[in-house]
Every structure is written in structure tokens, then in C-alpha cells.
Amino acid sequence: QVQLVESGGGLVQTGGSLRLSCAASGRAFSRYILGWFRQAPEKEREFVAAITWSSGSTQYADSVKGRFTISRDSAKNMVYLEMNSLKPEDTAVYYCAARYSDSRPYPYWGQGTQVSVSS
């Protein structure tokens, strides 16, 4: 029973910054990968970033490399997405997700937080 709760979404101007937080609870996450996904209006859900809990290794979508940073705080069971140089195309509902390190599907998802970037 894993619960993920996102927060930190909001409205920002182009070029602005926003920090999303995901509070994870229910299990120890040493064997998990935590990821961020987003779904823009009338678009399919897409991968944004992921972090391996134990090692801290990260992966990013090409569209956000150099602008977004995923991190974790193991002591607090928190994962963050620092978003800088935001663009209107970053507008989406952002979801925190978790999966076992040995499987590709993400079975655990948060409810999402809205990020809107104005021109």
C-alpha cells in the first residue's frame, strides 16, 4: 500500500520556476524508482524524470534536460521536481509515480498537481 501525494503546482510566467513535491508513504522505498510524469491538455501522458531511490541516479526526458532537476530526501520520504526556465509547453498535470526497480510499469500514482505556464 503505497501512497503518493503531490503538491507545489501553480501558475507561473514563462521563464519562471516552480518546485513540485511528492510525499511518499506506506513502504520503505529502497527498492523503488520514483518518477514524474505529466499530461498536457488533450495529450498523452509522458515521462519527465525518474530517480532510483537507493543510488540517486536520475533520468530525464530530452525536453526537460538542463531545466528540471529531480531529487529525493530519504529521511523525509520526499521526492522533488525543481523546474526552471518554464515554458508554456510545460503546462500539464504533473504526477508522481513509483515502481519496483526490477519492473517497467509504474503501479503507484499520485493524484496530480496542475502546473500552468503563461506566455
Side-chain angles (χ1 to χ4, degrees):
Q1 193 173 10
V2 173
Q3 288 187 309
L4 305 169
V5 181
E6 305 95 333
S7 62
L11 175 64
V12 297
Q13 289 186 318
T14 296
S17 298
L18 209 57
R19 187 197 195 201
L20 304 184
S21 299
C22 175
S25 63
R27 299 183 184 181
F29 291 92
S30 60
R31 298 188 185 95
Y32 282 76
I33 293 171
L34 277 294
W36 286 97
F37 293 77
R38 67 187 183 186
Q39 187 166 16
E42 300 183 352
K43 298 289 185 65
E44 296 297 318
R45 183 181 63 193
E46 66 174 340
F47 170 79
V48 175
I51 185 165
T52 299
W53 196 265
S54 59
S55 69
S57 63
T58 59
Q59 295 185 22
Y60 296 93
D62 288 342
S63 60
V64 306
K65 283 182 179 178
R67 299 190 298 122
F68 291 10
T69 302
I70 187 171
S71 62
R72 77 197 189 297
D73 186 335
S74 297
K76 297 180 179 180
N77 279 0
M78 298 286 291
V79 61
Y80 306 99
L81 185 68
E82 182 71 33
M83 305 183 294
N84 300 309
S85 301
L86 284 162
K87 306 173 181 179
E89 49 263 47
D90 294 318
T91 295
V93 176
Y94 284 71
Y95 297 91
C96 182
R99 66 173 175 89
Y100 294 108
S101 61
D102 61 353
S103 62
R104 294 212 301 168
Y106 281 82
Y108 306 108
W109 295 84
Q111 64 182 353
T113 186
Q114 177 71 48
V115 172
S116 299
V117 185
S118 62
S119 301

